[in-house]
Amino acid sequence: MTDSTENPRRALQAVAYHDGTQLARCVLRPGEYFIGSARKNEIVIGEASVSARHARLVVTAEDALQLEDLDSANGTFIDGAPIAVVTLLHPGAAILIGAVTLCFERGRLPAAAVAELPESFLHPQRYAVGEAIVQGSTSTIYQARETSLGREVALRTLLPESQRDPAVVLRFVREAQITAQLCHTGILPIYDFGLNSEGQLFLTTRFISGEPLASILDRIAAGDAAAAERYDLPTLIGIWQKVADVLASAHSRGVIHNSLTPDAVEVARFGEIFVTQWTFATLFDRPGQASSIEAPDSLIMPPLTAFSAPEQATGQRTDIDPRTDVFALGGLLYRIVTLRPPLSGETEDALLEAALSAAVTAPARDELQPHFPRGRFPDFPAAVAMKALRYEPDERHQTVLELQREIAAWQAGLGTESDLGALWKQFTGLLQRPTEPNKTA
């Protein structure tokens, strides 16, 4: 028998309906229940066809049910047949008390259906929470199981101290709203969102097994031969293209990621690529724009990183547009080629100075890496990255799609022969310029 004290949502209930209207509901425990229109009955059904004391229901310790008609005026019926003696009820039996339908339910579902479902289906706790897999500065991500569906999910909750900070709460809500509306295969879907029973803000999303792109690149840079073989440059460029697909889709919906780094790219175990960390996403005026709560500058200006565009370093929200993400994508491409970030600084002030001037050092052609195909320096992707990392937004690729097309040309075999034409000379020219702050053309 199911212990209803442990799981009240699974408690067996008798429910009376007439013409679609609920007339009575009674939680059933082992014992005897009289059914009728008189108030002294355990199950009171105030309907003209129901006698004062119409029938008797017996519930055994094993939740077996027996029903008996008590010489009622309009009869008691099981599956359309009138009963005169104590009759054992089978799951899903159609019962009439006069003209009133008597049903048995658990958690507002037919008891006969619930009997075939796993015990966890109507559990009061919707999620069985496992171990913490990511401990962030404001939230924790747990591996969890959704009890009703049995699927593995990633459950993210705000830390108690973070939930007391209005800015953190609003960023959390905005991130959930924007991410849920973007609907792209490269963005983890939001399954659930709200306040849990402890009053914590939470969201659940797809659980994936993988690692950040940053970790993969770090392993290659550290001399991991297996990583360099598995993730050679063409493979990494393929990952980069999938990341660019996500950002192009987001831009079409009026959303700028605004904080793309290799840590925000998750490479799943079977090759799926996800762009995460939409915490500082910002909106621009575009048809079909995702709606969310209004956000002051303090909510959407991300912390400075080695992939921050100059307009982000100035802290001016009005200067941020899709070309800010183009800069970050160029930085990601630069990191894939060179295995180092585009900007560097040992202190926060030094990093700020580098970001303000877009001081990106052009890769040297003798700077060979273990993941290069045939041991040759990839001039074309390096030059494209440098163009995307220009100081002036007008000098960068103007859209993600434009940036993608140039890399797609290299992937298709352009840029691998000695005679590359005027376009190739234009790009290689970018690599031959002085390694000063990347301001001038």
Side-chain angles (χ1 to χ4, degrees):
M1 166 182 158
T2 301
D3 187 346
S4 61
T5 61
E6 293 182 1
N7 193 348
R9 293 179 66 187
R10 290 185 64 99
L12 182 64
Q13 298 180 331
V15 190
Y17 295 99
H18 184 255
D19 291 338
T21 300
Q22 179 182 303
L23 302 182
R25 179 177 291 272
C26 177
V27 175
L28 299 178
R29 294 183 173 85
E32 184 179 64
Y33 297 82
F34 286 96
I35 304 170
S37 59
R39 291 188 175 276
K40 62 182 180 180
N41 294 292
E42 285 74 22
I43 302 176
V44 179
I45 303 176
E47 199 278 328
S49 66
V50 178
S51 300
R53 177 162 286 200
H54 194 112
R56 182 173 70 100
L57 176 68
V58 177
V59 183
T60 70
E62 291 76 27
D63 277 3
L65 303 173
Q66 297 173 353
L67 188 62
E68 177 186 11
D69 183 75
L70 301 178
D71 295 324
S72 64
N74 294 301
T76 301
F77 301 83
I78 299 177
D79 294 332
I83 63 171
V85 297
V86 176
T87 304
L88 184 66
L89 297 177
H90 63 82
I95 303 168
L96 282 177
I97 305 295
V100 174
T101 300
L102 185 67
C103 302
F104 299 102
E105 298 180 357
R106 293 186 188 275
R108 304 279 175 163
L109 295 176
V114 174
E116 303 301 321
L117 298 172
E119 174 65 25
S120 61
F121 185 78
L122 290 177
H123 197 280
Q125 294 294 332
R126 294 185 57 195
Y127 300 99
V129 181
E131 64 179 9
I133 52 178
V134 177
Q135 180 62 67
S137 58
T138 61
S139 62
T140 304
I141 301 176
Y142 298 90
Q143 184 174 355
R145 181 174 56 83
E146 191 171 359
T147 56
S148 60
L149 296 177
R151 67 178 168 187
E152 296 297 313
V153 299
L155 186 149
R156 178 180 167 197
T157 61
L158 278 182
L159 298 174
E161 57 271 25
S162 298
Q163 193 158 313
R164 292 191 288 269
D165 185 334
V168 174
V169 169
L170 292 176
R171 273 198 294 265
F172 189 89
V173 174
R174 286 186 79 254
E175 180 179 4
Q177 289 179 332
I178 291 173
T179 305
Q181 294 176 52
L182 287 178
C183 298
H184 190 279
T185 55
I187 299 175
L188 293 171
I190 301 296
Y191 292 148
D192 196 4
F193 174 74
L195 288 170
N196 63 19
S197 58
E198 286 76 39
Q200 291 176 292
L201 264 177
F202 80 98
L203 63 81
T204 61
T205 187
R206 177 179 169 186
F207 176 80
I208 57 173
S209 177
E211 67 176 318
L213 179 59
S215 174
I216 293 171
L217 297 174
D218 286 343
R219 288 196 286 119
I220 298 172
D224 187 330
E229 181 178 2
R230 180 177 179 184
Y231 296 103
D232 60 6
L233 186 64
T235 299
L236 291 172
I237 295 292
I239 291 173
W240 180 92
Q241 282 282 27
K242 291 181 180 179
V243 174
D245 285 340
V246 173
L247 293 191
S249 175
H251 291 179
S252 74
R253 296 291 308 279
V255 177
I256 303 165
H257 187 282
N258 200 30
S259 57
L260 181 70
T261 70
D263 283 306
V265 178
E266 195 74 18
V267 181
R269 182 179 177 185
F270 296 107
E272 298 153 293
I273 307 301
F274 298 95
V275 178
T276 63
Q277 301 181 16
W278 295 82
T279 307
F280 297 96
T282 186
L283 309 181
F284 66 100
D285 188 18
R286 192 67 180 260
Q289 175 175 306
S291 60
S292 75
I293 58 176
E294 292 298 320
D297 290 358
S298 61
L299 288 188
I300 62 171
M301 296 308 296
L304 200 64
T305 73
F307 300 82
S308 296
E311 58 267 26
Q312 291 174 303
T314 64
Q316 294 299 315
R317 173 185 180 180
T318 54
D319 293 337
I320 294 173
D321 65 25
R323 295 171 297 182
T324 302
D325 278 349
V326 167
F327 186 97
L329 270 173
L332 190 62
L333 183 59
Y334 182 98
R335 172 81 190 276
I336 285 172
V337 170
T338 66
L339 299 180
R340 65 172 185 270
L343 302 174
S344 61
E346 294 184 0
T347 65
E348 188 173 339
D349 287 343
L351 182 60
L352 175 61
E353 183 178 350
L356 285 170
S357 59
V360 182
T361 301
R365 297 189 69 183
D366 59 356
E367 188 181 345
L368 301 182
Q369 300 294 351
H371 65 313
F372 289 168
R374 300 184 297 280
R376 295 171 56 184
F377 184 84
D379 297 82
F380 196 88
V384 173
M386 291 299 293
K387 179 181 176 182
L389 288 165
R390 302 302 291 171
Y391 175 85
E392 293 291 346
D394 287 344
E395 295 179 0
R396 303 171 199 158
H397 307 82
Q398 296 303 288
T399 67
V400 170
L401 294 176
E402 179 186 335
L403 174 56
Q404 284 187 283
R405 280 195 294 268
E406 291 178 354
I407 292 301
W410 178 81
Q411 289 176 298
L414 301 177
T416 61
E417 304 296 332
S418 57
D419 184 14
L420 301 171
L423 183 64
W424 178 240
K425 291 178 181 179
Q426 172 190 347
F427 286 138
T428 54
L430 287 171
L431 293 180
Q432 296 166 359
R433 290 172 184 157
T435 58
E436 294 298 321
N438 196 12
K439 284 186 178 182
T440 59

